[in-house]
Amino acid sequence: MAAEQIRVAVAGASGRMGREVVKMVLQDDGLTLAAAIAQSAGPIDAGTLVGLPACGVTVQNDLSAALASANADVLVDFTVPAAVYGNTCTAIAHGVRPVVGTTGFTPEQIKELDELCKEKGIGGLIAPNFSIGAILMMRFAAQAAKYMPHVEIIEYHGDQKLDAPSGTSIKTAELIAEARQELRQGNPKEEEIIEGARGGYYNGFRIHSVRLPGVFAQQEVIFGGNGQTLKVRHDSYERSGYMPGVSVACKKVVTYTGLIYGFEHLID
Ligand code: NAP
């Protein structure tokens, strides 16, 4: 093992994203699996859990105990919105840099976690989306909003997703809000005949969340202008598409101090 290898712990190792992360870490020459944590998965070898040869790391269910003995540099978290804030605080308390894909943070929590990272002198990353295509979609949407400020977002995910709207759509909305003047769209006299029909309200525009079985992750940002519309759309088909981004994040997070929100800031 090369001395410069980064030791990665994975929270949510039994989950759909977590299993992809474990696989990626075991196959990435620059990373070593330091620990694997899952809420209810039994004591099983992490390699075996993801269909690879046994790797000698047993999946545990106590994050704090795992981090106390793992000598990890980074904790990658793909768990659930209810657990991720606590997990991130635990990682920082152990001096382990959080790389977080789980969505559901409030702006206040992000600010507080940034301060905690700075106090500890470590880096951290919260990334609502690790996919390069999704980052380009967000960037193009922000550019278009300067010229076509009337916009709505439709995001599509599987029906088991817990939070709505998606972290990616919130991040997109924030970038759009930075790029245009606040503009209350639509007819000021419009009425919702069925509650929620117009979607969630953000900075004068609407975000719609579709939840259906069979869908993986898609987002459409629709701009309307005089006699024309423009659509910027991104489709994710499988979880492995996020892994190059997670790998880059694990390697870059050890090079700076403070918490970065948004993977796009790491690749510029
Ligand atoms: P999932 O398959 O449901 O996996 C969730 C994982 O969290 C499981 O390992 C589960 O462990 C664990 N868990 C559940 N409750 C927990 C708790 N209270 N404390 C600690 N761990 C707990 O979910 P997923 O599809 O992998 O998605 C995970 C998160 O990633 C979601 O928030 C999703 O929106 C987000 N996501 C982000 C990106 C991105 O690019 N940033 C991409 C895709 C998904 P057990 O199975 O042992 O209960």
Side-chain angles (χ1 to χ4, degrees):
M1 189 202 314
E4 66 275 12
Q5 278 204 324
I6 293 161
R7 293 180 58 77
V8 180
V10 181
S14 60
R16 289 161 294 189
M17 286 297 287
R19 282 198 302 264
E20 290 291 337
V21 177
V22 169
K23 235 187 250 179
M24 179 277 288
V25 171
L26 289 173
Q27 292 172 336
D28 190 309
D29 288 342
L31 305 175
T32 297
L33 188 68
I37 303 99
Q39 199 189 26
S40 53
I44 177 176
D45 184 278
T48 311
L49 177 75
V50 300
L52 293 176
C55 65
V57 174
T58 303
V59 179
Q60 309 175 46
N61 61 16
D62 182 334
L63 176 65
S64 196
L67 293 183
S69 59
N71 192 23
D73 300 301
V74 175
L75 175 71
V76 177
D77 187 299
F78 281 98
T79 58
V80 287
V84 65
Y85 175 72
N87 286 353
T88 308
C89 290
T90 302
I92 297 169
H94 282 87
V96 178
R97 300 153 186 90
V99 167
V100 180
T102 315
T103 48
F105 287 95
T106 65
E108 294 74 30
Q109 287 175 331
I110 292 172
K111 193 164 174 282
E112 192 187 329
L113 292 168
D114 177 39
E115 281 157 16
L116 290 175
C117 279
K118 285 178 179 150
E119 274 169 28
K120 273 278 179 183
I122 58 173
L125 174 74
I126 295 175
N129 204 313
F130 280 101
S131 133
I132 181 75
I135 282 159
L136 292 174
M137 174 265 296
M138 290 188 252
R139 191 165 290 174
F140 297 155
Q143 282 175 358
K146 269 189 215 163
Y147 305 97
M148 298 181 78
H150 289 260
V151 57
E152 301 213 4
I153 298 175
I154 308 177
E155 54 96 348
Y156 308 75
H157 281 87
D159 63 341
Q160 296 307 304
K161 184 168 174 58
L162 293 173
D163 49 324
S166 69
T168 301
S169 69
I170 295 172
K171 181 75 188 169
T172 311
E174 289 168 356
L175 294 174
I176 289 171
E178 282 168 23
R180 65 169 211 170
Q181 298 284 338
E182 184 166 355
L183 169 66
R184 172 129 205 165
Q185 295 174 199
N187 189 328
K189 291 185 184 159
E190 85 179 358
E191 269 180 61
E192 279 186 330
I193 309 301
I194 296 176
E195 193 188 329
R198 290 288 293 117
Y201 179 89
Y202 185 90
N203 196 250
F205 63 97
R206 300 287 175 169
I207 306 176
H208 310 267
S209 297
V210 178
R211 296 288 178 265
L212 285 172
V215 177
F216 183 53
Q218 289 144 2
Q219 180 166 294
E220 229 170 58
V221 188
I222 308 172
F223 298 89
N226 271 348
Q228 59 184 318
T229 60
L230 169 70
K231 287 183 189 169
V232 183
R233 181 180 168 108
H234 177 253
D235 299 275
S236 279
Y237 298 107
E238 55 179 40
R239 291 173 180 84
S240 60
Y242 298 108
M243 293 307 124
V246 178
S247 168
V248 167
C250 290
K251 291 163 188 166
K252 289 219 173 167
V253 74
V254 298
T255 65
Y256 62 86
T257 301
L259 187 91
I260 290 178
Y261 174 57
F263 181 59
E264 65 278 14
H265 301 298
L266 283 199
I267 56 176
D268 273 340

